[in-house]
Amino acid sequence: MLRRTLQQAAKRTQAGIQCGKAHMPECKRNHTTASTCHGLWLTAALTMLAALGPGLPAAETPARMIAPGTSYRAIHRQQGPVGIHVIELDPSEEYISLACAIAGTVPGRLKVSELAVLASSASRYAVAAVNGDYFVMGGRTDGALFGLNVRDGHLVSAGGGRSALVLLDDGRARVASLRLDAWMQTSTGARVPISAMNQPRGRNDVVLYTPLFGTSTKTSASGREIVLRGVEEPLELGKVYETTVTASTYATGDLALWPEHVALSASGSTAGRLEQIRVGDKVKLCVNLAPDLEGKVVEAVGGGPVLVRDGRISIEREQENFTASHSDRRHPRTAAGIRPDGKVVLVAVDGRQARSVGMTLWELAQLMLDLGCRDAVNLDGGGSTTMWVRGEVVNSPSGGRQRPVGNALLVMSAAPHGPPTRMRITPESVSALPGYRVTVHTEAQDDYYNPVDMPAMGMGWAYEGPIGTVSPRGEFTAAEVAETATGAIKIFCGGVTARIPVTVHARPAALRIAPEAATAAPGQQIRFTVAPFDESGAPISFDPSQVRWQADTAAGMMSGDGVLTAGTGPAGTVNATLAGVTASARVVFATETVPVEGFEDDGACTAFSWPREVPVSCERVTEPVREGTYAARLTYDFTTTDESRAAYFEIKRDVGDALLLHAWVYGDGLGHWLRGKVTDANDHSFNLDFAPRIDWIGWREVTAPVPADAEPPIQWDAIYVSEFHPERQDTGAVVFDALRAERAAAPTQ
């Protein structure tokens, strides 16, 4: 009965096969293999495979349901080219909701896939996810978020009012720019405005820290801080808390955070607002969001800038303090949008690869309009762009793997798990070069698209046409062909056959290398990728180990996986050859060196340390000096702790699209690690290595490359001395002079 019912359903939908008891069909073809069928056969995905042929449009894969009211599809646009991944969901669906996920504490990072698993339970589980807000990358506050983030109705972080995707308690989704509306009222009635919550403290900020931020505030010793008792987490928006001051410190920083306690930290011109507050004072605290959205915010994931407002492109980068290079250059992108009917669209655009170059924010905004969005917001992108669907990353992260991120936007399902009623088979089609291997996977699903275990049942595999071979485990290997061959992988179960169309290309019609042109500095590493395309412009699958990479001497040395270590130029060529077709990229060594800091102007000299008990100071000196009249000395004492410790000299200079950073350093010969820190246009922080050991005494020029993932303009934040060996207890001083940046003379293509 079950078998007959399922077969009838398959006939109605022309989309799948249904299989009851194990029944291996008699197959008389010579190229047939047998395996095990793990399930009842499909109603939707498989019959669609049976109906599909080699003429499947290359531009877009059919949307597949991944949960009630929720689908995923991939789009490939020849112009660019660009790869696009789209999730569409209906928040009004009974079982479906959106959620913000964090890595336990706010300064923390996990992969999107790990965040999805961490947030899942048997009754409510993630079915899809994308990366979320911008975050600090590296340093003491690694993983701290920059925008508004709300989880389960409770505030996680908030700052300067950048836009966010917001979910209200009535189920509506909104793109909104909400600012923190928070204050502390002293015993005298004076109100102290709070500018941010659970974020790195900037100059002239008053920041509220809760235990969700971790074990301490991670602030430097350049401000004033107080601790308040009587605030339970999670904080309730709009509630006025009656609290007691239990600690007040100045020039200490990094206060410990305890349960039922919060801390206020102020710096610069705002520090005086906390000066008259004493231990034992009774103060009031209130945290809210503004403006009022006529509904309670239950989930929010920050980002920015707004892309689409009221059905029109509206790139609001200046209002949200984003640079022109962030919007005008093509990068990997993540975005969220809302259609007029309330449905939500999540998008991931691959970039920095031969098969997908990424999008500008203008192109991304147009895409969101094309997908029917009335409002849309950009989320963090670049190397962070990740889309996860039902246990697998479906996009191609630009770094070759998932980057751990500060938070994620999850699609959650609360649908119950039921018996198997359908089967999904992947891939749905194959277009490949000879030698490419792929395993055909089968998955049984229930009525709500949840994977379900099935008893073993007979399954047979076969292929038709001169396309390759299929193993008993369903592994397909594309054959060597002299010209394009078409055929199919066939699957048998219970007297019903499914068919996966296959095209094997003797050679690609086109081969694209990315970047096609690059400006390099000697010694810099540049990753190249290659992608083959067919006559229609659709990408072809291939075995990356078959690519042969070459570079001439002027360009540098090429690794087998496409990484160039740049030579000395002045110009060179990188070649990639695949299946007899070659693509070339031009490498030009056209750089200019610009001064960053020479310490000739009489300005503030700022130093700080980690942990705070490490004494550190800096001063302008006239001896020793490398250039001009002045240099800067950083003095440190590493004898106060055996923990990892560092002494920072603050720079805070814009170095644009720098490729390399240079500094003259008068070493003290003590062997400590010399590092640097930069921040990119997306507020991501990166640590650089200038020298593994300061093992010299006297002047030496040191150089550090700016990471390829850093999106210009770049800010050079600091240069610092670091030590992690407990036994290296000493005091020392190094002198810096003639800080420079080396950048491309023309924009990198």
Side-chain angles (χ1 to χ4, degrees), residues 30 41 110 134 275 285 461 565 593 619 652 674:
N30 292 330
W41 286 78
L110 289 174
Y134 303 96
E275 187 173 1
L285 178 72
W461 304 88
T565 301
T593 302
E619 60 179 333
K652 295 291 185 183
L674 183 62

Side-chain angles (χ1 to χ4, degrees), residues 326-331 333 358-365:
H326 178 261
S327 64
D328 297 345
R329 296 186 181 185
R330 283 177 165 172
H331 295 295
R333 304 286 187 181
M359 285 185 168
T360 67
L361 287 190
W362 297 95
E363 292 168 332
L364 183 63

Side-chain angles (χ1 to χ4, degrees), residues 251-381:
T252 301
D254 197 32
L255 290 186
L257 294 170
W258 301 93
E260 298 187 20
H261 291 70
V262 298
L264 282 179
S265 181
S267 66
S269 61
T270 63
R273 298 175 183 175
L274 306 182
E275 187 173 1
Q276 302 304 316
I277 299 174
R278 300 288 183 262
V279 173
D281 284 357
K282 304 294 184 181
V283 301
K284 295 179 180 180
L285 178 72
C286 182
V287 175
N288 214 336
L289 297 173
D292 183 11
L293 293 181
E294 299 180 352
K296 180 183 178 182
V297 177
V298 293
E299 302 285 340
V301 170
V306 166
L307 300 171
V308 177
R309 189 181 294 278
D310 296 327
R312 296 185 178 183
I313 292 178
S314 180
I315 310 294
E316 300 175 8
R317 68 166 186 82
E318 293 182 354
Q319 299 93 313
E320 300 190 40
N321 197 29
F322 287 96
T323 64
S325 65
H326 178 261
S327 64
D328 297 345
R329 296 186 181 185
R330 283 177 165 172
H331 295 295
R333 304 286 187 181
T334 306
I338 306 166
R339 290 178 172 165
D341 61 3
K343 293 182 179 179
V344 174
V345 178
L346 307 179
V347 169
V349 178
D350 291 330
R352 301 176 186 162
Q353 301 165 63
R355 66 180 296 158
S356 184
V357 298
M359 285 185 168
T360 67
L361 287 190
W362 297 95
E363 292 168 332
L364 183 63
Q366 184 60 57
L367 171 64
M368 301 309 285
L369 281 181
D370 294 344
L371 293 173
C373 295
R374 178 196 61 216
D375 299 289
V377 60
N378 182 58
L379 302 176
D380 186 21

Side-chain angles (χ1 to χ4, degrees), residues 7-8 238 318 431 465 518 565 584 613 631 637 639 698:
Q7 286 179 328
Q8 289 171 349
E318 293 182 354
S431 176
T565 301
S584 299
E613 60 261 33
D637 181 352
T639 66

